[in-house]
Amino acid sequence: MTVAPQIVGPSTSSGGPAPVLNDRELDLLRRLAAGEKHHAIAPDLFLSVTGVQSMTSRLIAKLGARNTPHAIHIAHQHGLLDPPATVKLSPALLRVMELVADGHTNAAIAVRLGLSEHTVKDHVKKARRLLGARDRAHAAVLAVEARMIRRPNRTS
């Protein structure tokens, strides 16, 4: 029986060890970070979609994350993933993405910035496209990871 090699990232700034992930887990994490869906990943890993979902759940738990975007964030912090590509967003797109990251709806962002909801929707769509994100939450995570916008202020 052969054992898959395990890759360990650098220690965190808090001194704690980085999670130990095998090649298969790292491949899954990279593909999730790239925005691929479970049904697209399954055939390459020789798993069912349910199998990929189960593996993702175990990976999230192993990283101590709340969800997939949080797992990707943690993996970036530990140096387990390549840094996100550098993308330039306009000041207007950055402001909209900050509010998306804070959890505001398009309607609330429109009111706050004095824009039409249609313009806000277009800004979010453009930011998603430029960042290569699968949805608005993924775009917000990528923008935070790339240090384009500040981390959302959360008390809970």
Side-chain angles (χ1 to χ4, degrees):
M1 177 172 117
T2 58
V3 177
Q6 296 190 342
I7 298 173
V8 181
S11 294
T12 63
S13 58
S14 63
V20 178
L21 303 178
N22 63 39
D23 288 340
R24 199 167 156 101
E25 291 168 328
L26 278 172
D27 184 38
L28 174 61
L29 193 57
R30 284 185 189 110
R31 294 180 74 170
L32 291 170
E36 290 186 52
K37 302 288 187 188
H38 290 136
H39 68 272
I41 298 170
D44 293 338
L45 294 181
F46 301 103
L47 293 171
S48 65
V49 173
T50 306
V52 174
Q53 291 168 338
S54 177
M55 188 175 170
T56 301
S57 294
R58 287 190 307 273
L59 184 59
I60 289 167
K62 194 172 195 178
L63 290 169
R66 295 182 301 272
N67 51 37
T68 302
H70 189 223
I72 293 166
H73 173 78
I74 290 169
H76 278 294
Q77 285 182 323
H78 287 292
L80 298 171
L81 295 174
D82 293 332
T86 304
V87 175
K88 287 280 193 180
L89 296 182
S90 70
L93 294 179
L94 290 172
R95 185 66 189 130
V96 167
M97 289 311 303
E98 280 185 344
L99 295 170
V100 168
D102 280 337
H104 297 282
T105 64
N106 287 349
I109 294 169
V111 168
R112 190 164 183 168
L113 298 180
L115 302 170
S116 74
E117 193 171 345
H118 180 76
T119 299
V120 172
K121 183 178 176 182
D122 284 346
H123 283 357
V124 172
K125 185 187 286 186
K126 185 172 184 178
R128 283 181 50 207
R129 184 179 49 78
L130 290 171
L131 292 166
R134 64 182 170 271
D135 55 36
R136 64 190 282 128
H138 188 218
V141 168
L142 292 175
V144 168
E145 287 297 319
R147 299 181 194 269
M148 297 174 156
I149 61 174
R150 62 178 170 64
R151 286 187 77 159
N153 294 324
R154 295 285 178 233
T155 57
S156 57

